[in-house]
Amino acid sequence: MLGSASESKKKIYRIIYGYWQSQCVYVATNLGIPDLLQYGPLTVEKIAEKTETKVEKLYVVLRALAHLGVIVEKPGRVFAATELSELLISNGSPSIGDFLLHITEPNMWDGWRELENSLKTGEVPFELAKNEDFYSSYMTQNSNSKKLFNNAMSFLTNEVVDSLFEIYDFGRFDTVMDVGGNQGTLIANIVKKFGCKGILFDLPHEVKTAPDNFAKYGVNGQVQIVGGSALKSLPEGADAIVMKYVLSVFSKEDSIKVLTNCREALPKNGKLIILQTLVPALGAPVEYPDGTMPALAAVQMMITNPGGYWRTEQEYRDLLQASGFKLEQVIPTGTSLTLMEFSPII
């Protein structure tokens, strides 16, 4: 009994310390310290010089990160990289470092500070904190935050595409449309892998960086870029529509609007592929093998989105049925992502 109480206390302390840890990692990553250490160990003085920080104050943060295992401290106040810090390197392809910088940037924390107030008022925490909408206002006016968001979304896509392509054949479609695809990393991977044609559809300001992103994949001529609102209408021409995480940002009512527009844009034999991380049912494991805890991610979605949150499999089944779709199959990808395939009800 005493041991159980001791473990419980340790667990609650870890939870309390959680934001201390994430903020130390955020600061180090934002300063580019993982990038610096990839080339070899450095003294705290050299790191302070390269990051334009105060040596003694920086040392306190680096020591904490060493105790967390993010970096290693060696004799003489020398610090070196670890497998953890290498994951945070952000000077190349989109990495988990970009995801970290997006999720823990100060403006995002401003929204979290309004969580309690939002529970009482029903308002969006981010809008309470910043007096502006996260996507259509804040993201369009803050280029660095937008870049972090784009890279974070691309990272999350790159993490799951190999597993996704192992269990689902997009090559049976002539044209696949990615609705809400941001700068188009998912559709670029689909087109490059399966040789089909693609359509990228998202808000006009979301698809601005798509041409540069497509150039990296060599698929510029194979993907049509269309700007618009999924709440209004979708272009026709695709025999499959894929949506990854998109429905998480919408309320139930708006989700039905988007899904209805999907059904109207698809041919009778078309398919709708929903890619989501599902909130586990009561009694199921609460954490995926990759560390994703959907119930916590659902709170993050609520911080920035009016009515948006992550749902259970049954909630998606009900949502799609109300929008005129029937479920064909549910396929776990082996990651935190689940694929659900639907057909229009004729």
Side-chain angles (χ1 to χ4, degrees), residues 46-177:
K46 182 58 71 173
I47 298 172
E49 177 188 330
K50 290 180 176 293
T51 58
E52 299 181 343
T53 54
K54 303 297 182 182
V55 172
E56 296 308 320
K57 290 186 178 296
L58 177 63
Y59 175 74
V60 174
V61 175
L62 295 180
R63 182 181 59 190
L65 291 171
H67 286 198
L68 290 170
V70 178
I71 55 179
V72 171
E73 182 177 7
K74 299 184 176 184
R77 302 208 302 182
V78 172
F79 292 91
T82 67
E83 289 185 2
L84 271 67
S85 68
E86 289 173 354
L87 292 172
L88 300 170
I89 294 170
S90 57
N91 64 349
S93 300
S95 73
I96 200 169
D98 295 295
F99 178 69
L100 163 75
L101 293 174
H102 162 58
I103 289 297
T104 57
E105 68 165 307
N107 286 310
M108 191 68 76
W109 273 102
D110 289 341
W112 275 89
R113 282 195 284 269
E114 294 293 339
L115 178 58
E116 184 177 351
N117 285 336
S118 77
L119 298 180
K120 297 175 181 178
T121 67
E123 297 173 82
V124 180
F126 189 88
E127 294 177 13
L128 277 173
K130 314 301 289 187
N131 199 31
E132 59 181 329
D133 172 84
F134 179 72
Y135 287 103
S136 61
S137 178
Y138 170 76
M139 293 289 277
T140 58
Q141 297 174 41
N142 294 269
S143 58
N144 186 60
S145 293
K146 178 60 178 172
K147 180 181 178 181
L148 292 176
F149 174 78
N150 285 347
N151 286 342
M153 295 305 103
S154 291
F155 161 73
L156 292 175
T157 296
N158 288 333
E159 282 285 278
V160 299
V161 289
D162 289 343
S163 297
L164 172 63
F165 293 165
E166 286 179 6
I167 57 93
Y168 195 81
D169 179 20
F170 287 91
R172 60 196 177 104
F173 303 115
D174 178 66
T175 303
V176 178
M177 177 163 59

Side-chain angles (χ1 to χ4, degrees), residues 112 115 277-281 284-288 291-303 308-312:
W112 275 89
L115 178 58
T277 300
L278 302 176
V279 176
V286 299
E287 185 175 349
Y288 283 88
T292 300
M293 189 172 287
L296 272 180
V299 182
Q300 167 62 30
M301 294 303 299
M302 193 169 65
I303 294 294
Y309 64 102
W310 284 14
R311 299 176 171 91
T312 64

